[in-house]
Amino acid sequence: WMGVPLAVKQYRSSQDQQDQDIIEVKDSNMQQVILSRSVLVSYIVIGLCILVWLVPARAQDDVPMFYPPLPDGPRIQYLTSYSRASDVEEKEEKKSGWLSDFVLGEDGQEEDKGLNKPYGISVRNGQIYVVDTRGSGYAIFDVAGKDYRFREGVGPANMPKPINIEIDDDGTKFVADTGRNQILVFDSNDEFVRTIGKRGQFRPTDMIADGSKLFVVDIEGHRIVVLDKSTGRELSSFGSPGSGDDNFFHPTNIAMGPNKHLYISDTSNFRVQEFTPDGQFVRSYGGGVGTAPGSFARPKGVAVDREGRVYIVDAAFERVQVFNDQGRLLMYFGEPGSRHPSGLDLPTAIDIDYASGPYFQQYADPEFELEFIIAVANQFGRSKVNVFGFGRHKSMSYEEDED
């Protein structure tokens, strides 16, 4: 009998160890369950945060964006955006819910061609031409024909770093390429024709055609070079490095107004300068460096409408400022960043086209009549090309002298 208590003691010790092992296993399983639930809760919280960020932005997509906002009389409305080939498809073909696209993915997204890092832009008769600095060519968003094409630079038409595009009245395209330090010429069918510019002659960033002349921005030479459009022969030039009225410091973009004056973005001098065609200084736009209205931090694209209003893109301010022909600030438009589709994210170039208005009226508020459209290119963000419309609200009166 002496061995019985010892056996019982050993048995109880064994049972206690088994119970402890069971408890430890349960604790381990419980920790795993708690950890799994924590991870699940984290995913749910992250998902809800994303939805909270997306839903207001998506909800704003259907709310007209006017500048200035109502109840003031609006002159500009955000219309639509383009980034991918599918963006020119008919709206009826793109009615899948955004939430299902977000959760399940968009069908064929991997095959959806689009822009990488655009810079230059030009609009003609319902077609938007956009230079892609990383795509080595230019894209054509054919809004009128609901088609997308890309003109890639290959062979003699190689475009290592295309920057800007200009379209002449006959459909001829001029593409400034800072990788080649030349201008490439394409015909109305986007077939390569020739190059303009000799080695070391200039570093072109933009150009404007007028009559028999081609005005070329030479960012490296801090000047404007005037060429014979047909032969490429240099006729004259104006400008020199500096900060005076007739100087430039890294000019980048150029436009021509209805008075045939040239408007040049003098980027590193934080201003836009107006000159006559023969290089005589007229006036400057911009009140010095800064992000306050009327000033510039990084002026880039410039465009002029038929009334002489000057539209200037500020890549750092991420807005477009509008001045009258005397240099007075009228308004500005665009939303900084990319949360809203109208957002400008490192905007670069801008163009105006009157003939494209009918193709975009469908995107305007029913009470807003378009006069012309304004297209702005963005290097980054949600929308690579933003299209705005300039017009008048039918229910409002406008002061004739407000322009």
Side-chain angles (χ1 to χ4, degrees), residues 256-263 274-275 277 282-283 304 308 325:
M256 179 172 280
N259 54 3
K260 297 294 183 178
H261 286 189
L262 300 169
Y263 298 78
E274 180 183 348
F275 288 84
V282 178
R283 66 174 55 85
V304 188
D325 57 3

Side-chain angles (χ1 to χ4, degrees), residues 114-120 130-137 161-163 346 348 377-380 384:
L115 298 168
N116 294 301
K117 191 178 181 182
Y119 192 103
V130 190
V131 172
D132 194 339
T133 60
R134 288 183 180 170
S136 301
K161 195 172 182 182
I163 297 295
L346 200 62
T348 50
N378 301 291
Q379 290 195 297
F380 300 104
K384 295 299 191 294

Side-chain angles (χ1 to χ4, degrees), residues 204-218:
T205 55
D206 200 5
M207 64 259 114
I208 190 79
D210 181 54
S212 62
K213 296 179 180 179
L214 188 68
F215 297 85
V216 180
V217 178
D218 180 5

Side-chain angles (χ1 to χ4, degrees), residues 59-289:
Q60 293 177 21
D61 290 3
D62 297 327
V63 178
M65 292 287 294
F66 288 118
Y67 305 91
L70 298 171
D72 293 329
R75 297 312 308 263
I76 293 174
Q77 182 189 349
Y78 163 73
L79 300 177
T80 188
S81 299
Y82 298 94
S83 296
R84 306 186 304 268
S86 60
D87 291 333
V88 291
E89 295 176 355
E90 293 188 73
K91 296 298 181 182
E92 290 76 16
E93 299 175 2
K94 299 175 62 181
K95 287 187 176 179
S96 59
W98 68 266
L99 182 58
S100 62
D101 289 343
F102 173 74
V103 175
L104 303 176
E106 297 183 31
D107 294 337
Q109 187 173 2
E110 295 181 357
E111 300 177 359
D112 195 5
K113 298 178 181 179
L115 298 168
N116 294 301
K117 191 178 181 182
Y119 192 103
I121 190 168
S122 188
V123 187
R124 292 294 183 277
N125 299 316
Q127 294 184 326
I128 304 174
Y129 294 78
V130 190
V131 172
D132 194 339
T133 60
R134 288 183 180 170
S136 301
Y138 59 87
I140 303 118
F141 291 91
D142 187 350
V143 180
K146 297 181 176 61
D147 185 31
Y148 173 88
R149 304 184 299 279
F150 190 86
R151 195 355 170 148
E152 185 178 4
V154 294
N158 179 41
M159 290 180 272
K161 195 172 182 182
I163 297 295
N164 260 312
I165 185 169
E166 158 73 355
I167 304 178
D168 206 354
D169 294 337
D170 63 356
T172 300
K173 289 95 178 174
F174 300 90
V175 179
D177 192 298
T178 56
R180 296 181 57 148
N181 287 337
Q182 289 182 313
I183 296 171
L184 292 86
V185 184
F186 299 85
D187 65 18
S188 58
N189 296 316
D190 300 304
E191 295 295 329
F192 176 68
V193 178
R194 68 184 191 278
T195 59
I196 297 176
K198 302 175 182 177
R199 182 180 297 274
Q201 183 178 3
F202 44 58
R203 192 177 190 199
T205 55
D206 200 5
M207 64 259 114
I208 190 79
D210 181 54
S212 62
K213 296 179 180 179
L214 188 68
F215 297 85
V216 180
V217 178
D218 180 5
I219 189 174
E220 202 167 70
H222 311 283
R223 61 177 185 153
I224 303 301
V225 182
V226 186
L227 305 176
D228 183 289
K229 188 173 65 176
S230 299
T231 65
R233 182 173 62 91
E234 185 170 330
L235 302 175
S236 63
S237 67
F238 63 89
S240 59
S243 57
D245 288 342
D246 57 351
N247 298 135
F248 298 109
F249 193 39
H250 299 132
T252 54
N253 295 69
I254 189 170
M256 179 172 280
N259 54 3
K260 297 294 183 178
H261 286 189
L262 300 169
Y263 298 78
I264 298 139
S265 290
D266 191 8
T267 301
S268 292
N269 277 327
F270 314 106
R271 64 188 180 185
V272 166
Q273 296 201 78
E274 180 183 348
F275 288 84
T276 62
D278 59 354
Q280 298 300 311
F281 172 78
V282 178
R283 66 174 55 85
S284 287
Y285 294 78
V289 60

Side-chain angles (χ1 to χ4, degrees), residues 47-59:
L48 289 174
C49 289
I50 293 174
L51 290 176
V52 168
W53 184 84
L54 282 174
V55 168
R58 293 285 183 167

Side-chain angles (χ1 to χ4, degrees), residues 18-31:
Q18 291 180 15
D19 291 344
Q20 183 63 33
D21 291 342
I22 292 171
I23 292 172
E24 290 178 356
V25 169
K26 289 182 178 180
D27 288 343
S28 176
N29 290 338
M30 184 62 69
Q31 290 175 359

